[in-house]
Amino acid sequence: MRRRIVRWIIIAIAVPIIANILRKSGEHVEKTRGPESKAAKGLKVAGSAVRYVK
């Protein structure tokens, strides 16, 4: 039971934080390299995909 609680806490807290970090880093890369940058697009997609894991 304790493992389930710890796993739930990790998913409930860590996943949104990781998604936010990826999204913000994608926005930063977009500002520096331009909106057509593959890195910026990839980071934004990864940030959106991480939210669906939740």
Side-chain angles (χ1 to χ4, degrees):
M1 176 107 170
R2 184 176 178 187
R3 288 183 183 175
R4 288 184 184 177
I5 292 171
V6 171
R7 189 179 315 149
W8 183 84
I9 289 172
I10 290 171
I11 290 172
I13 295 172
V15 169
I17 291 171
I18 292 170
N20 194 20
I21 290 170
L22 287 172
R23 222 172 1 111
K24 287 189 185 241
S25 60
E27 291 172 2
H28 178 70
V29 170
E30 183 179 10
K31 286 180 186 177
T32 58
R33 294 188 181 181
E36 298 299 318
S37 171
K38 288 184 181 181
K41 289 179 182 178
L43 287 169
K44 286 186 175 184
V45 168
S48 299
V50 171
R51 286 195 176 266
Y52 289 114
V53 172
K54 187 177 173 185

